[in-house]
Amino acid sequence: MSSDGGAGRGPTQIASVLIFAGLLLTLVVSIAPNVNTVVVEIAEVMWPGYASELRGDPEPPDCSVEELDEKLAACPPEDVAPAPAPGADEDPFGGANPFEDGGGGAEAEDEDPFGGANPFEDGGGGAEAEDED
């Protein structure tokens, strides 16, 4: 065995594999329409009328083009802003800002649901601490 041509062997093999893959891809792409035809013919044998349903002529519409044009003319143009909803001028909070001090939600903030105890301390409030008293 000789080791004379081993240095350029890697790039040559990579190039050969790439060329082979390109030729194989060309072959697959070129025979794809023929494969499709064969598959449709097989389906026609299995299900009679299969191929005739693939390329049927579309049915003409049963509506009048003039009626559609009239309906389209009655639509508002696309660049016009939509009308506001009925009652959109009314303030749902009755003028009071619920996030201001003294607003709609201030009464609820004065009440402490934990009664001043820290619920995250060990033994600092909660149901367990009330039972021990």
Side-chain angles (χ1 to χ4, degrees), residues 99-116:
F99 300 107
E100 285 182 354
D101 290 336
E107 297 83 22
E109 291 179 14
D110 293 338
E111 299 175 19
D112 186 4
F114 299 106

PDB file of all heavy atoms in Angstrom, residues 99-116:
ATOM      1  N   PHE A  99     -57.796  54.988  40.545  1.00  0.00           N
ATOM      2  CA  PHE A  99     -56.410  54.816  40.920  1.00  0.00           C
ATOM      3  C   PHE A  99     -55.846  56.025  41.671  1.00  0.00           C
ATOM      4  O   PHE A  99     -54.698  56.009  42.073  1.00  0.00           O
ATOM      5  CB  PHE A  99     -55.565  54.518  39.674  1.00  0.00           C
ATOM      6  CG  PHE A  99     -56.023  53.278  38.978  1.00  0.00           C
ATOM      7  CD1 PHE A  99     -56.715  53.348  37.773  1.00  0.00           C
ATOM      8  CD2 PHE A  99     -55.797  52.026  39.520  1.00  0.00           C
ATOM      9  CE1 PHE A  99     -57.145  52.204  37.139  1.00  0.00           C
ATOM     10  CE2 PHE A  99     -56.226  50.883  38.894  1.00  0.00           C
ATOM     11  CZ  PHE A  99     -56.904  50.968  37.704  1.00  0.00           C
ATOM     12  N   GLU A 100     -56.630  57.068  41.821  1.00  0.00           N
ATOM     13  CA  GLU A 100     -56.184  58.226  42.586  1.00  0.00           C
ATOM     14  C   GLU A 100     -56.489  58.014  44.064  1.00  0.00           C
ATOM     15  O   GLU A 100     -57.386  57.262  44.434  1.00  0.00           O
ATOM     16  CB  GLU A 100     -56.913  59.492  42.122  1.00  0.00           C
ATOM     17  CG  GLU A 100     -56.435  60.027  40.802  1.00  0.00           C
ATOM     18  CD  GLU A 100     -57.160  61.314  40.434  1.00  0.00           C
ATOM     19  OE1 GLU A 100     -58.098  61.707  41.149  1.00  0.00           O
ATOM     20  OE2 GLU A 100     -56.790  61.910  39.423  1.00  0.00           O
ATOM     21  N   ASP A 101     -55.758  58.726  44.946  1.00  0.00           N
ATOM     22  CA  ASP A 101     -56.074  58.686  46.374  1.00  0.00           C
ATOM     23  C   ASP A 101     -57.429  59.331  46.578  1.00  0.00           C
ATOM     24  O   ASP A 101     -57.706  60.402  46.060  1.00  0.00           O
ATOM     25  CB  ASP A 101     -55.016  59.428  47.192  1.00  0.00           C
ATOM     26  CG  ASP A 101     -53.702  58.667  47.207  1.00  0.00           C
ATOM     27  OD1 ASP A 101     -53.752  57.439  47.004  1.00  0.00           O
ATOM     28  OD2 ASP A 101     -52.651  59.294  47.412  1.00  0.00           O
ATOM     29  N   GLY A 102     -58.285  58.692  47.293  1.00  0.00           N
ATOM     30  CA  GLY A 102     -59.631  59.208  47.502  1.00  0.00           C
ATOM     31  C   GLY A 102     -60.559  58.868  46.356  1.00  0.00           C
ATOM     32  O   GLY A 102     -61.698  59.290  46.328  1.00  0.00           O
ATOM     33  N   GLY A 103     -60.071  58.085  45.385  1.00  0.00           N
ATOM     34  CA  GLY A 103     -60.911  57.702  44.244  1.00  0.00           C
ATOM     35  C   GLY A 103     -61.779  56.525  44.605  1.00  0.00           C
ATOM     36  O   GLY A 103     -62.033  56.230  45.770  1.00  0.00           O
ATOM     37  N   GLY A 104     -62.226  55.807  43.596  1.00  0.00           N
ATOM     38  CA  GLY A 104     -63.180  54.720  43.807  1.00  0.00           C
ATOM     39  C   GLY A 104     -62.630  53.553  44.584  1.00  0.00           C
ATOM     40  O   GLY A 104     -63.366  52.837  45.245  1.00  0.00           O
ATOM     41  N   GLY A 105     -61.310  53.316  44.607  1.00  0.00           N
ATOM     42  CA  GLY A 105     -60.786  52.128  45.268  1.00  0.00           C
ATOM     43  C   GLY A 105     -60.089  52.408  46.579  1.00  0.00           C
ATOM     44  O   GLY A 105     -59.451  51.543  47.143  1.00  0.00           O
ATOM     45  N   ALA A 106     -60.164  53.614  47.131  1.00  0.00           N
ATOM     46  CA  ALA A 106     -59.420  53.964  48.342  1.00  0.00           C
ATOM     47  C   ALA A 106     -59.972  53.269  49.575  1.00  0.00           C
ATOM     48  O   ALA A 106     -59.230  52.949  50.492  1.00  0.00           O
ATOM     49  CB  ALA A 106     -59.435  55.475  48.550  1.00  0.00           C
ATOM     50  N   GLU A 107     -61.268  53.011  49.656  1.00  0.00           N
ATOM     51  CA  GLU A 107     -61.852  52.396  50.839  1.00  0.00           C
ATOM     52  C   GLU A 107     -61.312  50.984  51.042  1.00  0.00           C
ATOM     53  O   GLU A 107     -61.068  50.543  52.144  1.00  0.00           O
ATOM     54  CB  GLU A 107     -63.382  52.349  50.760  1.00  0.00           C
ATOM     55  CG  GLU A 107     -64.059  53.709  50.710  1.00  0.00           C
ATOM     56  CD  GLU A 107     -64.096  54.291  49.310  1.00  0.00           C
ATOM     57  OE1 GLU A 107     -64.000  53.518  48.343  1.00  0.00           O
ATOM     58  OE2 GLU A 107     -64.186  55.504  49.176  1.00  0.00           O
ATOM     59  N   ALA A 108     -61.114  50.260  49.972  1.00  0.00           N
ATOM     60  CA  ALA A 108     -60.657  48.881  50.065  1.00  0.00           C
ATOM     61  C   ALA A 108     -59.203  48.809  50.516  1.00  0.00           C
ATOM     62  O   ALA A 108     -58.784  47.839  51.125  1.00  0.00           O
ATOM     63  CB  ALA A 108     -60.832  48.168  48.732  1.00  0.00           C
ATOM     64  N   GLU A 109     -58.397  49.853  50.247  1.00  0.00           N
ATOM     65  CA  GLU A 109     -56.997  49.833  50.623  1.00  0.00           C
ATOM     66  C   GLU A 109     -56.813  50.014  52.124  1.00  0.00           C
ATOM     67  O   GLU A 109     -55.796  49.627  52.680  1.00  0.00           O
ATOM     68  CB  GLU A 109     -56.242  50.925  49.862  1.00  0.00           C
ATOM     69  CG  GLU A 109     -56.125  50.634  48.373  1.00  0.00           C
ATOM     70  CD  GLU A 109     -55.400  51.753  47.636  1.00  0.00           C
ATOM     71  OE1 GLU A 109     -54.773  52.601  48.296  1.00  0.00           O
ATOM     72  OE2 GLU A 109     -55.478  51.774  46.413  1.00  0.00           O
ATOM     73  N   ASP A 110     -57.760  50.643  52.843  1.00  0.00           N
ATOM     74  CA  ASP A 110     -57.626  50.882  54.275  1.00  0.00           C
ATOM     75  C   ASP A 110     -57.751  49.596  55.085  1.00  0.00           C
ATOM     76  O   ASP A 110     -57.218  49.505  56.183  1.00  0.00           O
ATOM     77  CB  ASP A 110     -58.672  51.901  54.743  1.00  0.00           C
ATOM     78  CG  ASP A 110     -58.406  53.279  54.150  1.00  0.00           C
ATOM     79  OD1 ASP A 110     -57.253  53.540  53.755  1.00  0.00           O
ATOM     80  OD2 ASP A 110     -59.360  54.083  54.078  1.00  0.00           O
ATOM     81  N   GLU A 111     -58.434  48.619  54.575  1.00  0.00           N
ATOM     82  CA  GLU A 111     -58.640  47.378  55.309  1.00  0.00           C
ATOM     83  C   GLU A 111     -57.465  46.437  55.069  1.00  0.00           C
ATOM     84  O   GLU A 111     -57.058  46.207  53.940  1.00  0.00           O
ATOM     85  CB  GLU A 111     -59.932  46.701  54.847  1.00  0.00           C
ATOM     86  CG  GLU A 111     -61.168  47.524  55.080  1.00  0.00           C
ATOM     87  CD  GLU A 111     -62.409  46.857  54.503  1.00  0.00           C
ATOM     88  OE1 GLU A 111     -62.367  45.642  54.253  1.00  0.00           O
ATOM     89  OE2 GLU A 111     -63.383  47.564  54.297  1.00  0.00           O
ATOM     90  N   ASP A 112     -56.886  45.886  56.134  1.00  0.00           N
ATOM     91  CA  ASP A 112     -55.793  44.933  56.019  1.00  0.00           C
ATOM     92  C   ASP A 112     -56.371  43.533  56.175  1.00  0.00           C
ATOM     93  O   ASP A 112     -56.884  43.184  57.242  1.00  0.00           O
ATOM     94  CB  ASP A 112     -54.753  45.202  57.100  1.00  0.00           C
ATOM     95  CG  ASP A 112     -53.511  44.323  56.922  1.00  0.00           C
ATOM     96  OD1 ASP A 112     -53.446  43.587  55.918  1.00  0.00           O
ATOM     97  OD2 ASP A 112     -52.623  44.384  57.786  1.00  0.00           O
ATOM     98  N   PRO A 113     -56.319  42.705  55.138  1.00  0.00           N
ATOM     99  CA  PRO A 113     -56.922  41.375  55.235  1.00  0.00           C
ATOM    100  C   PRO A 113     -56.203  40.466  56.217  1.00  0.00           C
ATOM    101  O   PRO A 113     -56.741  39.458  56.655  1.00  0.00           O
ATOM    102  CB  PRO A 113     -56.840  40.832  53.809  1.00  0.00           C
ATOM    103  CG  PRO A 113     -55.744  41.596  53.165  1.00  0.00           C
ATOM    104  CD  PRO A 113     -55.734  42.948  53.827  1.00  0.00           C
ATOM    105  N   PHE A 114     -54.942  40.808  56.629  1.00  0.00           N
ATOM    106  CA  PHE A 114     -54.191  39.966  57.543  1.00  0.00           C
ATOM    107  C   PHE A 114     -54.205  40.517  58.965  1.00  0.00           C
ATOM    108  O   PHE A 114     -53.533  39.980  59.841  1.00  0.00           O
ATOM    109  CB  PHE A 114     -52.751  39.809  57.059  1.00  0.00           C
ATOM    110  CG  PHE A 114     -52.678  39.158  55.709  1.00  0.00           C
ATOM    111  CD1 PHE A 114     -52.378  39.904  54.586  1.00  0.00           C
ATOM    112  CD2 PHE A 114     -52.935  37.816  55.557  1.00  0.00           C
ATOM    113  CE1 PHE A 114     -52.324  39.316  53.349  1.00  0.00           C
ATOM    114  CE2 PHE A 114     -52.884  37.223  54.327  1.00  0.00           C
ATOM    115  CZ  PHE A 114     -52.577  37.967  53.204  1.00  0.00           C
ATOM    116  N   GLY A 115     -54.929  41.579  59.200  1.00  0.00           N
ATOM    117  CA  GLY A 115     -55.039  42.143  60.538  1.00  0.00           C
ATOM    118  C   GLY A 115     -53.724  42.656  61.092  1.00  0.00           C
ATOM    119  O   GLY A 115     -53.472  42.559  62.280  1.00  0.00           O
ATOM    120  N   GLY A 116     -52.854  43.188  60.272  1.00  0.00           N
ATOM    121  CA  GLY A 116     -51.580  43.739  60.712  1.00  0.00           C
ATOM    122  C   GLY A 116     -50.473  42.731  60.834  1.00  0.00           C
ATOM    123  O   GLY A 116     -49.326  43.091  61.047  1.00  0.00           O
TER     124      GLY A 116
END
